[in-house]
Amino acid sequence: MSPPVFRFAPSPNGHLHLGHAYSALLNFDRARGSGGRLLLRIEDIDATRCRPEYEAAIYEDLAWLGITWEMPVRRQSEHLADYRAALEKLSALGLVYPAFESRAEIARLVTAREADGPWPRDPDGAPLYPGNARLLSGGERSRLIDSGVPYALRLDMAAACRRVSSLTWNELGEGPDGERGPVAARPEAWGDVILARKATPTSYHLSVVVDDGLQRTSEIVRGQDLFHATSVHRLLQALLGLAEPAYRHHALIRDSDGRKLSKSDRSTGLRELRAIGASPARIRQLVGLG
Ligand code: GLU
């Protein structure tokens, strides 16, 4: 049997904090304890927020923590063709449509719909896509695309769900409400999610699923903030014929006010803690892995 595959997948849009250290150390410890492999993936598809100096800092901070990973590192920005191919596969199934509303128009549509009562929200609290772009004719779509307006490529969630039988995943960790073991996926709770944009041929959901499939990740260890997104990931895996990994979601490290840590909060940044003399062993203690 091939060894288990783990991955740590940070986005280089800021410096790592204690929450990242916890996730990276859990992956490292699980890989070592199981004779598995640890991969590092740089999730840098958002060119407006990602910076090379943050990427360099990720390598330095992880090495300082004593973490080792397999080379080469996969940088998502170098694999756009893989995401495009997956998107084409979903398009060929008739599951993708362009939606032309701007963010402001979407906000206006939601407000209008809320006149009749609350409009449904996704598990992250964002309103579901309220538009009707799915109903545009082929001719209207081509005309709008040719006119150069920006668009998002959305998944026709209802049609996608009709193509798969009920999906579950094996939760080895714990969801925010104590979910464990087989968990039923509920991708419909996310509505017609964005898979790509005119300017970026992928999205978080699409690239994470394609990469974990190509890299044969067998156990995904990540924060509970991504627990509900797993429903969308399971659906995309099923549609794209990719293997199903196990998931181990972990509790989030919180600040003294109980808030999720942010990359802009200096008191919990690894660089800041190192500058005031914290050792890697102290970081382990601070995240409860001492
Ligand atoms: N890149 C994501 C983040 O930094 C993590 C993706 C994942 O683990 O699935 O939050």
Side-chain angles (χ1 to χ4, degrees), residues 7 9-11 20 41 43 204 208 220 222 226 233 263:
R7 53 54 164 194
S11 297
H20 300 105
R41 186 161 81 222
E43 302 211 325
Y204 161 65
V208 88
I220 294 184
R222 63 183 180 189
L226 294 168
H233 301 174
K263 281 180 171 156

